[in-house]
Amino acid sequence: MIYLKLFWEFFKTGLFAIGGGMATLPFLYNISDKTGWFTHEQLADMIAISESTPGAIGINMATYSGYLTSGYLGGIIATLGLITPSIIVILIIYAFLNAFKNNKFVNGAFYGLRPASVALITAAGLVVARVTFFAGNFSNGLNLKAAVLAVILLIFTHAIKKTKDLHPVIWIAFSAVVGVMFKY
């Protein structure tokens, strides 16, 4: 029964969380409050882990949530629940758009969606920056350790010739080590 509940909760999340992984957060908070499968503190850890591991944030968080709730099988089922609505919607859209692929209105709609996508991605980035640099609230003041780490990473990835071409995974690993060392 737990597997059916996991699938259903993450199916609803996948169906209604439009805008990427960060859009799943309100749904995950709701799942946490409603089911008690994980705490808000564990959710903050999920965000950190999902941001620092390869793959889509929403899928990483679904997998981790399912794993916390019911082990490996729970992780698989929560992930399948999250991605199933997208697969269904994509198949429907493909069938529909394939019939109208040369329509000037459809092409115009996609052209207009580009700026909206940029705005949504920017908004998610600003939320992550606020959480990182101000612990979610500007009244908390600037998190100096996070700001210093960001400036150091910016310098090493853009200004120093020997390090700016290093693979991003190296910088993610470096940031994870620094986060553990300084207890973020």
Side-chain angles (χ1 to χ4, degrees), residues 4 6-7 32 37 46 55-57 59 63 66 78 91 101 111 115 146 148 176 184:
L4 188 58
L6 268 171
F7 184 86
S32 170
W37 290 337
M46 284 185 232
I57 295 168
I59 291 174
T63 305
L91 290 173
K101 64 183 171 188
Y111 184 78
V148 168
Y184 276 110

Side-chain angles (χ1 to χ4, degrees), residues 42-176:
Q42 288 172 316
L43 188 54
D45 291 339
M46 284 185 232
I47 294 168
I49 290 169
S50 295
E51 288 278 352
S52 62
T53 55
I57 295 168
I59 291 174
N60 289 348
M61 291 177 70
T63 305
Y64 189 62
S65 300
Y67 175 78
L68 278 178
T69 304
S70 195
Y72 291 110
L73 187 55
I76 292 168
I77 288 174
T79 303
L80 288 173
L82 187 77
I83 65 172
T84 299
S86 297
I87 292 170
I88 293 168
V89 169
I90 287 169
L91 290 173
I92 291 169
I93 289 173
Y94 172 76
F96 179 76
L97 288 181
N98 198 34
F100 296 99
K101 64 183 171 188
N102 294 323
N103 185 301
K104 67 179 182 177
F105 296 112
V106 172
N107 290 333
F110 278 116
Y111 184 78
L113 286 173
R114 290 180 191 147
S117 297
V118 170
L120 288 170
I121 292 167
T122 302
L126 291 173
V127 168
V128 170
R130 188 185 75 219
V131 168
T132 301
F133 295 120
F134 297 98
N137 189 341
F138 293 113
S139 65
N140 291 332
L142 180 66
N143 179 342
L144 195 56
K145 290 190 286 188
V148 168
L149 178 59
V151 169
I152 289 170
L153 286 172
L154 189 64
I155 291 169
F156 275 92
T157 59
H158 288 82
I160 299 176
K161 189 159 182 75
K162 287 186 178 186
T163 58
K164 76 179 198 176
D165 292 330
L166 290 175
H167 198 278
V169 170
I170 293 171
W171 297 114
I172 291 170
F174 170 76
S175 298

